[in-house]
Amino acid sequence: MSTGHEDCRHERSHIVDSTFYGRRYSTPATRRIFCDRCRFQRWLDIEAALAMAEADLGIIPAEAAKKIGKAAQVNKLDLGKVKAEIERTGHSLVGLLRVFQEAVDDGAGEYIHYGTTTQDIQDTGQSLEMRDVLDELEDMLRDIMVRLAELAEEHETTVALGRTHAQPALPLTFGVKVASWLDEMLRHAERVENMRPRVLTAELFGAVGTMAGFGDQALELLDGFAGRLGLTAPLIGWHVSRDRIAEYVSTLAMIAGTVGRIADEVRTLSRPEMGELEEGWHHGKVGSSTMPHKRNPEASEQAVVMARLCATLVPAAMAAMSGDNERDSRSLRLEWAIVPEVSHYALSGCEILRIILNGLVVHTDRMRENVQEVSDQLATEALMLAIGERAGKQFAHEVVYELSQEARRDGIPLREIFLTHPKRCVEADDEVRRIFNPSRYLGQSSQLTRRVVDRARSWLDGRAAA
């Protein structure tokens, strides 16, 4: 009996590469950046850049460098032969170099990979991969920040229910909630910007990090090589010094964590009993195969999944920091899995969040209703402080505690109980009305929102002008 997969080549076994589901775990950009074929092209570009930098200093003949650069095109190589050489030699780069050498005219291939070592090429390639990811990520962060600034400004005065420990706490504005998301995203954008020169570095230090194969021109060569690739020239080799990669992975995981926090808030506030937020929906979108009425917050849930997956990769990046002596492939091979994975998931999470925010429905009417439903509970701090001005804060806390617990127990409005209390201490009706009016106890919500929006827009404008 046929199993239905006799002709399948089984090339897409990871969820990231799935034809049907991969877009939920990766982006077109990350699939391009970490493509096998594109990785080989990146290594060829690095070998060509090295040859040109060496020719600039007379280390190898200029004509040889030109021929190496001309031949450094993956579509000119027999990749089947490369694969066979990798299998035969058990080496990750030698197979490519041998096939590449054969493609270079007039024996110039003898100057390929001159004075360097495999990890120099592969570490530099990984830096270029991370650079491409950060380019994409920065664009996403800017879009998210612009949208969050718009939402925060739009709802600067929209009264909403502040909750702590999943329970009603005090009133706030929806704008200040969004501003807290924006403020966190701004810090991430600054982290990404600040870590670029520190993390995106070239590697060209030879077998044990001494650059012995390049002679007296080694440091000048490093500067020229890094400059050609648009990377930072580090002070010293980093074959076993993997803090840069750990910083990259941790930073992306933190960004994904914020994405998850925002998405989970959207998911929570979309519950019918709250009904304050809702993901965008279009006719034809299906929430359940058995319950046709369902409009599930699928995007928010998927963003949380991305955040959790990223978080699991941070311990592995920390483990990769423990390398032996001057070289240790255990770190590099860990990173070959970790760096693509965290990049796929973090960028996918950001893309999902961007879609959520652009389609987000804010139900201000439900926010208002939810506030009014528990308005007496929201007044307890204001009431305590008003009594405390006259009778002391600790005394006031005890009084309001007893009154509020009585109100909850007996189902009587707190305001009603307070007005009949012999030690109410607050006599003026207008003051009582103010205390029990949630919109009069928003603190600095509006000002705080404006501070964050102004700061974020100033940062965005500065980068747009650069």
Side-chain angles (χ1 to χ4, degrees), residues 372-413:
Q372 286 304 124
E373 186 176 344
V374 292
S375 59
D376 274 15
Q377 294 180 46
L378 305 185
T380 57
E381 183 181 69
L383 181 59
M384 178 190 69
L385 294 176
I387 295 173
E389 287 181 3
R390 298 163 174 83
K393 191 267 184 185
Q394 302 309 320
F395 169 79
H397 185 278
E398 292 179 9
V399 169
V400 176
Y401 174 84
E402 293 299 333
L403 294 180
S404 60
Q405 299 309 315
E406 180 182 345
R408 289 287 297 274
R409 184 191 66 224
D410 298 338
I412 301 172

Side-chain angles (χ1 to χ4, degrees), residues 5-24:
H5 58 68
E6 289 84 353
D7 297 328
C8 182
R9 296 174 64 183
H10 311 300
E11 292 179 313
R12 297 179 179 270
S13 60
H14 194 291
I15 189 67
V16 163
D17 294 321
S18 169
T19 301
F20 309 104
Y21 308 110
R23 68 177 184 82
R24 295 188 176 116

Side-chain angles (χ1 to χ4, degrees), residues 447-466:
Q447 293 86 336
L448 293 170
T449 301
R450 175 51 52 195
R451 277 159 55 99
V452 173
V453 169
D454 289 348
R455 174 72 178 84
R457 286 197 168 137
S458 174
W459 190 89
L460 289 165
D461 290 344
R463 299 315 173 277

